[in-house]
Amino acid sequence: TATISISAPSSGSGGKFIDNAAGIHTTSAVGINTVLPRSDLQVGTFGMQSGIGTFSAVVGTPIIIDQFNVSTAPFRTAEYTLHIHHANGMQSQKVLVMQDGSNAYSNEFAIMYSSADPLVSFASTVSGGTCKLQATPLTGVTGITTYRFSRGTLL
């Protein structure tokens, strides 16, 4: 078993780490078995990222939930776990995305929701060198909507 001991804030080529009662923290990406992490946490060719946000839903109008530059972060595959919360209910699901730098392909699966119908549908696209995951609000979903996601990627 490996342990990390940091007695005081230190700076290095990988970023600044702080050890306190809440644990070890950094404000930069962390890489294990890689010298150039392209996600918040990257182990070899697998990266992990997460996010949270809100948007004002308009039926049929897509909103970008997450995006990455296909040149600087050339993830070939991304698997998202998503949670959407709205006054009408909540929805959780997975979306698998693959991209080749010019086109994106996606598949929604493991979809579950608390209301009578799903709140949003997800799709992906590559535009202007950026791969985007978009949520499109479905019938009856308008107003403030909160989302959370985790993204696992493969270079």
Side-chain angles (χ1 to χ4, degrees), residues 61-82:
T61 303
I63 185 77
I64 298 170
I65 299 296
D66 186 42
Q67 61 186 353
F68 56 88
N69 183 298
V70 299
S71 295
T72 59
F75 306 125
R76 292 300 179 194
T77 299
E79 181 181 356
Y80 289 89
T81 301
L82 298 140

Side-chain angles (χ1 to χ4, degrees), residues 3-4 8 11 24-25 40 54 66 68 72 77-78 81 85 99 103 115-116 118 126 128 135 153:
T3 59
I4 298 175
S11 294
I24 298 171
H25 303 278
D40 285 350
T54 60
D66 186 42
F68 56 88
T72 59
T77 299
T81 301
H85 189 264
Q99 63 85 24
N103 300 292
S115 53
V126 173
T153 54

Side-chain angles (χ1 to χ4, degrees), residues 49-118:
Q49 192 87 23
S50 64
I52 185 171
T54 60
F55 63 94
S56 184
V58 176
V59 174
T61 303
I63 185 77
I64 298 170
I65 299 296
D66 186 42
Q67 61 186 353
F68 56 88
N69 183 298
V70 299
S71 295
T72 59
F75 306 125
R76 292 300 179 194
T77 299
E79 181 181 356
Y80 289 89
T81 301
L82 298 140
H83 182 268
I84 303 292
H85 189 264
H86 182 266
N88 292 356
M90 58 185 171
Q91 176 177 333
S92 288
Q93 70 177 83
K94 297 267 194 177
V95 176
L96 189 60
V97 175
M98 68 178 182
Q99 63 85 24
D100 61 12
S102 301
N103 300 292
Y105 310 89
S106 57
N107 187 9
E108 298 179 87
F109 63 101
I111 304 167
M112 59 188 194
Y113 41 90
S114 65
S115 53
D117 296 306

